[in-house]
Amino acid sequence: MPKNEMTYCLRIPSRTDNLELIREFVARVARKVGFDEDDVGKIELACDEACSNVIKHAYEQKNGSQSLDVVIRVDLKKLTLIVTDHGKGFDPSKVIVPDMKEYLAQLKVGGLGIYLMRTLMDEVDYDIKPGVRNQVKMVKYLIDKKSSKVVKADRNEE
């Protein structure tokens, strides 16, 4: 592990009433490492969607009988958020990206979790092994990838 990397871990029963604790954990770490409130909200919402998907789909709402892990790794350039479960998997390539105009026109509710995660975070990757281990890894950069300048954590370095 690089010297300037920190890791934060949370293992918690997969219950919907624990989502608030998970959001608070993620938001506190994101603030601590220097993200502004806009990005803290994005990271928090992306994590909430990932954990909600675990509870609803991977564990089929068997309220708290299994745990989920939230690991946050932070280095000088990025925050990496990893949500792991041991439930039912899925093929992320088969998830259809919604047409938001149509979605909003039909006043649909739900079904935007993966779309939101991909929109809110800089990178989203899956490692799916159904019944063994499923992971979604999401990255939010502390730097502007185009200019390679630090834009949030320490504005004096720009």
Side-chain angles (χ1 to χ4, degrees):
M1 178 183 313
K3 188 175 181 180
N4 293 322
E5 185 175 302
M6 297 289 294
T7 301
Y8 304 86
C9 304
L10 176 67
R11 174 169 284 168
I12 194 162
S14 60
R15 301 170 47 109
T16 53
D17 60 348
N18 284 335
L19 290 172
E20 181 180 352
L21 291 173
I22 296 168
R23 288 191 305 268
E24 183 64 25
F25 166 70
V26 170
R28 284 179 160 231
V29 172
R31 278 188 199 102
K32 180 178 177 163
V33 299
F35 284 100
D36 64 25
E37 284 305 309
D38 184 50
D39 280 340
V40 168
K42 291 176 181 176
I43 295 165
E44 189 177 6
L45 180 56
C47 184
D48 188 80
E49 289 295 335
C51 293
S52 295
N53 284 345
V54 168
I55 294 166
K56 184 175 181 181
H57 301 294
Y59 292 147
E60 298 173 325
Q61 300 191 352
K62 295 174 185 165
N63 228 356
S65 61
Q66 294 179 282
S67 63
L68 64 88
D69 296 323
V70 178
V71 174
I72 303 171
R73 292 191 183 119
V74 181
D75 62 29
L76 296 174
K77 296 180 180 177
K78 64 186 180 299
L79 177 148
T80 303
L81 175 63
I82 303 167
V83 176
T84 304
D85 70 75
H86 302 281
K88 183 178 153 191
F90 72 105
D91 183 351
S93 69
K94 293 188 177 177
V95 176
I96 299 169
V97 177
D99 176 337
M100 288 310 295
K101 261 186 161 178
E102 184 178 320
Y103 182 91
L104 294 171
Q106 294 176 358
L107 302 174
K108 289 184 177 179
V109 176
L112 293 177
I114 291 175
Y115 170 80
L116 286 172
M117 289 187 285
R118 289 179 176 157
T119 302
L120 298 169
M121 301 297 282
D122 294 323
E123 295 176 13
V124 178
D125 292 309
Y126 297 91
D127 183 14
I128 306 295
K129 296 176 180 130
V132 178
R133 187 196 75 189
N134 305 307
Q135 284 188 328
V136 58
K137 183 167 89 175
M138 300 178 279
V139 175
K140 192 72 169 172
Y141 286 94
L142 283 157
I143 61 170
D144 180 344
K145 288 193 285 186
K146 292 179 184 169
S147 66
S148 298
K149 292 181 180 177
V150 175
V151 294
K152 295 179 179 82
D154 185 356
R155 294 192 182 274
N156 293 330
E157 292 183 24
E158 290 184 66

